[in-house]
Amino acid sequence: MRSASSELLLDTKQQQLRKKKLLELAAAKKQKRGAPRTLREKVWFYSTLSFAMIAVGSGSALLFLVPLYVDPAVSTLLADFVPEPVQCTTVRREQLAGLYNCTWSSCREGCTSDVYNCSHIYVAYRTSAGGVSGVDGGGGGMQVASGRGGGGDMIVDEAVLLVNIKGCGYPPAVACSNFTKAYGVPGATFPCHYSRQNHTLAVVGYDKRQQYADIVHYFAVPFAVCVVTSIVLCVMHCDCQQAAAAAAGQHALQEPSRSSAGHSHTEGYSDHSISTRVERLDEAIMEASRALQGEPSGL
């Protein structure tokens, strides 16, 4: 009977102490939340927000810029078009329909959708003197007839004319109706640039500097911005060395506490005497009541 009343009184005192502690914590949290931010905290917050938005924006922009601008620029440079244009003459144009027939097109608006109507434009041109290292006949299954002209020039009787290296683009930079009208008429003559890697390929316009500029503007700049802002955010919020040292110190402190906790737990369970446990409860109740009344515990 005495043990039950002692345990009930102890539980009541513990609930009162716990309720008082919770009220104090709630009041402190409310007071801290209501405190205005300092200028340094505002600058830190808005700087973090700005750098994070820039990093995410530049990283997302790379997903769209690489296939639209960087990949065509790299492919154009690898094709190694002649910088000085030569005279091209349209030989014939084929207007085809069907997915099987339209595996490629001289010009199409949009580079991701399937093409069911396409135009194949073939041209003939004469290479400049000393500009030929050999003719590549691997033009996608097309037969190319070529011969030597005067002065060491080479005449390519049939080559594919593309609006650019991919044969596609987006308005207003690429307007396929105007392209077909201007270059798809047999007998039309115009300047073009042929590829030194594949002489069965020719384009209307080529600017080597523009290709390098596209790579720098649409890849190097966004990539550098993304990397720099990510590093800044890491420096601002992720001090790896201090975090590692703190984790090591915390781990070292937890080991002795675990061993001491296990030892005391074992000692508590080794005591099976009911009278001894009742006496300890009485002492705890007296200590709790003295603490509440503000009396010194040593009296």
Side-chain angles (χ1 to χ4, degrees):
M1 189 72 180
R2 180 183 176 183
S3 175
S5 61
S6 301
E7 291 180 356
L8 181 61
L9 180 60
L10 182 59
D11 292 340
T12 304
K13 298 298 183 180
Q14 288 179 349
Q15 290 178 1
Q16 292 179 355
L17 290 173
R18 190 181 297 109
K19 186 177 181 180
K20 183 178 179 181
K21 188 65 176 178
L22 289 175
L23 291 175
E24 292 177 354
L25 291 175
K29 186 176 181 181
K30 185 176 181 181
Q31 183 179 3
K32 183 178 180 180
R33 183 181 300 176
R37 293 182 178 178
T38 62
L39 179 60
R40 181 178 181 181
E41 291 176 346
K42 290 181 179 180
V43 171
W44 188 268
F45 173 76
Y46 288 110
S47 299
T48 302
L49 181 62
S50 301
F51 285 128
M53 292 181 64
I54 292 172
V56 173
S58 58
S60 301
L62 285 173
L63 299 178
F64 298 96
L65 296 176
V66 168
L68 293 179
Y69 296 98
V70 180
D71 183 46
V74 173
S75 300
T76 302
L77 293 174
L78 292 177
D80 192 18
F81 290 98
V82 292
E84 296 297 331
V86 297
Q87 195 73 12
C88 283
T89 303
T90 303
V91 177
R92 61 190 173 93
R93 186 190 75 177
E94 295 178 351
Q95 198 70 30
L96 303 176
L99 186 61
Y100 179 77
N101 296 323
C102 294
T103 56
W104 65 276
S105 178
S106 292
C107 180
R108 65 187 178 101
E109 296 178 359
C111 298
T112 56
S113 60
D114 295 330
V115 181
Y116 297 94
N117 293 288
C118 58
S119 60
H120 296 175
I121 300 176
Y122 300 91
V123 297
Y125 64 88
R126 180 193 296 268
T127 63
S128 58
V132 177
S133 58
V135 177
D136 183 4
M142 296 169 293
Q143 295 180 357
V144 179
S146 61
R148 291 288 176 180
D153 297 348
M154 176 172 284
I155 300 174
V156 179
D157 294 335
E158 190 174 279
V160 173
L161 180 68
L162 301 178
V163 66
N164 53 39
I165 190 65
K166 296 295 183 180
C168 61
Y170 297 90
V174 174
C176 290
S177 58
N178 298 334
F179 178 84
T180 304
K181 290 178 182 179
Y183 308 109
V185 179
T189 58
F190 48 88
C192 68
H193 303 262
Y194 66 90
S195 171
R196 283 180 285 208
Q197 299 296 325
N198 182 4
H199 292 144
T200 63
L201 180 63
V203 295
V204 176
Y206 172 69
D207 186 0
K208 191 173 184 179
R209 292 183 178 179
Q210 184 61 40
Q211 308 307 318
Y212 284 112
D214 289 345
I215 295 174
V216 171
H217 294 159
Y218 298 119
F219 178 74
V221 173
F223 182 76
V225 170
C226 182
V227 171
V228 170
T229 51
S230 300
I231 292 174
V232 171
L233 288 173
C234 183
V235 171
M236 290 175 63
H237 297 278
C238 302
D239 194 347
C240 301
Q241 294 182 354
Q242 291 186 2
Q250 185 177 5
H251 180 72
L253 289 174
Q254 286 178 354
E255 290 298 331
S257 62
R258 289 177 181 175
S259 61
S260 60
H263 184 66
S264 61
H265 186 69
T266 306
E267 287 182 353
Y269 275 103
S270 62
D271 187 6
H272 298 287
S273 174
I274 298 176
S275 59
T276 305
R277 293 172 64 184
V278 171
E279 290 177 0
R280 290 181 178 178
L281 274 174
D282 293 338
E283 292 177 0
I285 292 171
M286 293 178 63
E287 290 291 336
S289 61
R290 291 173 181 174
L292 289 176
Q293 294 175 1
E295 296 179 359
S297 58
L299 294 177

